[in-house]
């Protein structure tokens, strides 16, 4: 049973426009959320995180939004650049089991020049 | 700065052969260590985690085992590989609870 879902396997965006990647979760106990970026043949790289006490966290071109009532997480990339083309994973954990992160299946972002 | 090393990058093994994948972390002490597997088209599945030397927690029953013989060394093993063990294996570390995990570059394991 997947507790973290990324329903869009791929997304294509024009350079300079906004990329919005979405993630849904089912476990209301999740209180820490992360986004990772992965290039082929490399391990995922941490991008940005958010705690459940916030609804928004911003780091440069990357902003993560958390809607707890909808159990929905999104990553906004503005402006998108060709170097952002990669697979993006969202992940979540619950404070009672802080060692276990549940990952989505990933969304492949293609930013066209 | 902290670095994580994982090897080999690719591995082709026959069914029934043993396995040993090694992961080491530098630049930190007493890290939390993790082994994940990514099957094709799937997310990352946590296999094992360790909060200290000799302390291993298994998340899913399987044909694999993990060991932590030293503070910054994490090993994934199998006595007899199955076809279903094929996948992309990732080692990760984190400094403490609810901190981002940092991943190695992974091992692509193919079982023939």
């Amino acid at each position: 049973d997947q507790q973290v879902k990324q329903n869009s396997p791929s997304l294509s965006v024009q350079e300079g426009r906004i990329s919005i990647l979405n993630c849904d979760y089912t476990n209301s106990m999740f209180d820490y959320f992360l986004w990772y970026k992965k290039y082929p043949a490399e391990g995922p790289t941490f991008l940005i995180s958010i705690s459940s006490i916030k609804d928004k966290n911003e780091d440069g071109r990357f902003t993560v939004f958390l809607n707890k009532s909808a159990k929905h997480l999104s990553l906004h990339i503005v402006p998108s650049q060709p170097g952002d083309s990669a697979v993006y994973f969202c992940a979540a954990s619950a404070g009672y089991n802080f060692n276990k992160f549940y990952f989505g299946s990933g969304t492949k972002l293609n930013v066209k020049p | 700065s902290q670095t994580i090393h994982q090897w080999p990058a690719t591995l082709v093994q026959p069914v029934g052969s043993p396995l040993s994948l090694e992961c080491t972390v530098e630049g930190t002490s007493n890290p939390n260590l993790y082994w994940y597997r990514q099957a094709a088209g799937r997310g990352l599945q946590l296999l094992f985690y360790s909060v200290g030397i000799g302390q291993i927690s298994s998340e899913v029953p399987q044909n694999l085992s993990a060991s932590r013989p030293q503070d910054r060394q994490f090993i994934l093993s199998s006595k007899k590989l199955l076809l279903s063990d094929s996948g992309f294996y990732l080692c990760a570390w984190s400094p403490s609870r609810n901190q981002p995990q940092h991943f190695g570059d992974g091992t692509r394991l193919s079982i023939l």
Side-chain angles (χ1 to χ4, degrees):
Chain A
D1 179 34
Q2 270 198 292
Q3 299 191 45
V4 177
K5 295 181 182 179
Q6 293 176 257
N7 292 317
S8 298
S10 63
L11 175 68
S12 189
V13 170
Q14 203 67 37
E15 181 179 6
R17 307 293 294 269
I18 184 171
S19 295
I20 300 176
L21 298 112
N22 294 305
C23 179
D24 296 296
Y25 61 95
T26 57
N27 189 340
S28 58
M29 299 298 290
F30 286 153
D31 57 6
Y32 184 58
F33 305 87
L34 310 92
W35 283 95
Y36 284 85
K37 175 181 180 179
K38 184 183 181 301
Y39 292 117
E42 294 182 9
T45 302
F46 168 70
L47 262 181
I48 192 168
S49 64
I50 188 167
S51 160
S52 60
I53 63 173
K54 293 185 174 182
D55 53 21
K56 176 183 173 181
N57 189 26
E58 198 170 344
D59 183 2
R61 296 187 296 114
F62 301 91
T63 303
V64 56
F65 294 91
L66 176 62
N67 183 333
K68 291 184 286 293
S69 60
K71 294 190 180 70
H72 180 79
L73 187 70
S74 64
L75 175 69
H76 292 209
I77 306 173
V78 183
S80 301
Q81 299 173 356
D84 296 328
S85 297
V87 177
Y88 290 78
F89 291 96
C90 65
S93 72
Y96 64 84
N97 192 355
F98 61 93
N99 283 301
K100 186 162 186 176
F101 282 84
Y102 294 84
F103 281 80
S105 54
T107 296
K108 185 173 184 179
L109 174 65
N110 179 34
V111 180
K112 296 177 288 187
Chain B
S1 64
Q2 302 87 5
T3 55
I4 179 168
H5 302 280
Q6 187 181 343
W7 65 93
T10 58
L11 188 60
V12 181
Q13 292 283 99
V15 169
S17 63
L19 173 74
S20 181
L21 300 181
E22 189 164 341
C23 172
T24 58
V25 180
E26 295 177 357
T28 187
S29 59
N30 197 30
N32 291 339
L33 296 171
Y34 309 84
W35 278 110
Y36 286 87
R37 176 169 60 203
Q38 184 185 13
R42 306 287 297 275
L44 279 65
Q45 180 187 35
L46 179 64
L47 302 176
F48 301 94
Y49 68 87
S50 171
V51 298
I53 295 174
Q55 300 179 58
I56 308 294
S57 295
S58 174
E59 285 299 306
V60 293
Q62 58 208 320
N63 185 41
L64 302 167
S65 63
S67 61
R68 185 170 177 172
Q70 300 180 44
D71 181 45
R72 291 169 290 170
Q73 184 185 29
F74 206 23
I75 298 172
L76 183 69
S77 304
S78 174
K79 292 182 180 177
K80 282 188 177 182
L81 285 166
L82 307 172
L83 282 174
S84 58
D85 292 322
S86 293
F88 189 54
Y89 289 82
L90 287 156
C91 181
W93 76 275
S94 69
S96 63
R97 61 185 295 163
N98 268 7
Q99 292 287 313
Q101 296 175 359
H102 304 277
F103 288 83
D105 284 337
T107 295
R108 175 73 58 190
L109 176 64
S110 299
I111 311 299
L112 303 178

